[in-house]
Amino acid sequence: MSANVSPILIVGAGPTGLSLAIAVRQRGARVIVIDRQTQGANTSRAAVIHARTLQVLEQLGVTAKLLEEGIIVPKFRVRDRDRLLLDVDFGELPGRYPFTLMLPQDQTEAILRTRLLELGVEVQWATELESIAQEGDRFAAHLKSPDGNIDMHASWVVGCDGLHSKVREEAEIPFVGGTYRQEFVLADVNMDWPLARSEVDLFFAPQGLMVVAPLPHDRYRIVATASKPPEQPDMSFIQRLLDERGPPSESGRINDVIWSSRFHVHHRLAENVISGNIILCGDAAHVHSPAGGQGMNTGIQDAVSLADPLLHAMNGDRSQLLGWADARQKVARSVVRLTDRMTRLATLRSPAGCTVRNGILSTIGRISSARNAIARRIAGLDH
């Protein structure tokens, strides 16, 4: 690609932005990556990397390192306290990655940043997009950084800047949807836990849902609905969740809370993901419930699949880009529907509704083809 072509400006250095930057840089494009956060300010949010994403990330040369640092988890189980309702075995998936990989997002990002540095690109931290304006066939972008204001030109601007996307705002693209009533809490902990570290467990209980997943270094990730939780739930708060929702026959015991937070969950879709030479990727284009661990995976797949269509568009052929947009919006709608159903099922409160739900899941659990279909859907292998 000609050195005279203005660079691609990628706004947001999370997994989506980093993956896109690597993919287009490998193809010879000039790229600038900015993020309004200071380096290291990101906390560990997403932790699940599914089979399809591991396949996609092979192209970027990072899958082996992810596997080295993460923990392989081949099973996903749904329980009502002690009662096992559904056992999904990723071990029966086709391909090289018949499992889920658990690795905190900050570690995934560190691996991606290292790869991007190998390609000669360093993230510009604490640098915020203030405005973008079309000037002929390129953009004038006004940035704010610790060293002062920066004015630059870009051929394309890609918003990988999440739920509150400045790029989406500048493009005036509506973000349609709503917010779930429940609040969620998230905590990474050290604890004594009675169940195997080869499984992720989703628990149903009258008080709400809870997910317990193993992390590297003998840690665990806990995600749960909660009513008016504190901003940073402490050890006693997380312990109460375990006692109320985990297996009553042998409760887990929290030893230390490494990190915790609370958050609201949205379900929203951008009306379109392309506006002229502005593109939206990842959470800037779609956000949804964390059920099934789909968010980061969908964003990474958006990004890597965008690289070739974007470079074709830079050379004057937008047909592949429009096809990419249609395909990825179809995937996003499907993911939002899937995670919405999972969340609503998991947060049922009426005893009659819970009885029906548990009966249906138990029946599905006895049908091998149904279990395999669920595994493929969660792993991202059916699109």
Side-chain angles (χ1 to χ4, degrees), residues 90-102:
F90 295 109
E92 298 178 12
L93 291 173
R96 291 183 294 280
Y97 310 113
F99 49 78
T100 284
L101 187 74
M102 298 300 301

Side-chain angles (χ1 to χ4, degrees), residues 97-321:
Y97 310 113
F99 49 78
T100 284
L101 187 74
M102 298 300 301
L103 184 67
Q105 180 177 328
D106 55 343
Q107 292 178 249
T108 298
E109 290 178 0
I111 291 169
L112 290 168
R113 283 198 306 273
T114 297
R115 175 65 183 132
L116 187 58
L117 273 172
E118 291 172 355
L119 296 169
V121 179
E122 188 169 356
V123 175
Q124 297 183 24
W125 295 103
T127 301
E128 191 167 356
L129 176 68
E130 292 244 293
S131 64
I132 46 178
Q134 188 84 41
E135 290 187 355
D137 60 354
R138 60 182 185 171
F139 291 103
H142 184 66
L143 314 178
K144 183 172 68 176
S145 80
D147 299 325
N149 294 334
I150 302 169
D151 291 305
M152 63 163 287
H153 287 101
S155 55
W156 291 75
V157 178
V158 187
C160 303
D161 49 343
L163 170 65
H164 304 291
S165 170
K166 178 65 174 177
V167 175
R168 190 183 61 241
E169 177 187 313
E170 286 289 299
E172 299 181 343
I173 297 173
F175 204 34
V176 181
T179 305
Y180 290 106
R181 176 178 53 83
Q182 300 92 348
E183 283 188 275
F184 284 73
V185 300
L186 183 155
D188 289 354
V189 304
N190 289 313
M191 70 173 175
D192 299 317
W193 182 239
L195 301 178
R197 284 178 59 79
S198 58
E199 62 187 72
V200 172
D201 288 285
L202 167 60
F203 291 91
F204 297 147
Q207 297 84 355
L209 71 88
M210 179 178 70
V211 176
V212 178
L215 293 177
H217 311 298
D218 291 325
R219 296 175 176 177
Y220 291 86
R221 163 71 52 86
I222 297 173
V223 182
T225 54
S227 177
K228 297 180 180 178
E231 187 173 343
Q232 292 183 310
D234 61 13
M235 192 160 71
S236 63
F237 188 95
I238 303 300
Q239 184 64 59
R240 189 161 63 250
L241 293 176
L242 280 184
D243 294 343
E244 291 174 348
R245 307 178 191 189
S249 59
E250 190 179 357
S251 180
R253 183 59 50 190
I254 304 287
N255 298 318
D256 180 38
V257 175
I258 299 151
W259 178 79
S260 69
S261 70
R262 68 180 180 194
F263 58 99
H264 273 102
V265 172
H266 300 257
H267 50 98
R268 298 181 185 273
L269 286 168
E271 280 196 354
N272 49 72
V273 295
I274 300 175
S275 177
N277 284 21
I278 296 174
I279 303 172
L280 303 179
C281 260
D283 286 356
H286 44 75
V287 293
H288 41 78
S289 164
Q294 299 296 307
M296 179 178 72
N297 290 270
T298 307
I300 289 172
Q301 292 169 38
D302 284 350
V304 178
S305 62
L306 172 60
D308 281 335
L310 176 54
L311 266 62
H312 278 281
M314 292 177 74
N315 289 321
D317 176 9
R318 296 176 70 99
S319 60
Q320 289 190 29
L321 186 62

Side-chain angles (χ1 to χ4, degrees), residues 40-61:
N42 183 25
T43 47
S44 168
R45 296 187 304 276
V48 183
I49 307 176
H50 288 304
R52 174 61 181 153
T53 308
L54 290 169
Q55 292 176 358
V56 164
L57 287 172
E58 285 182 344
Q59 302 172 41
L60 309 189

Side-chain angles (χ1 to χ4, degrees), residues 321-366:
L321 186 62
L322 297 175
W324 170 87
D326 288 343
R328 295 314 299 173
Q329 283 190 288
K330 181 179 178 182
V331 169
R333 285 192 292 270
S334 174
V335 169
V336 170
R337 285 195 299 269
L338 170 67
T339 57
D340 183 63
R341 284 195 210 104
M342 292 175 71
T343 301
R344 294 186 188 282
L345 278 174
T347 54
L348 281 173
R349 300 304 292 268
S350 77
C354 292
T355 298
V356 171
R357 173 199 64 199
N358 292 358
I360 292 171
L361 288 174
S362 294
T363 300
I364 291 172
R366 292 191 290 270

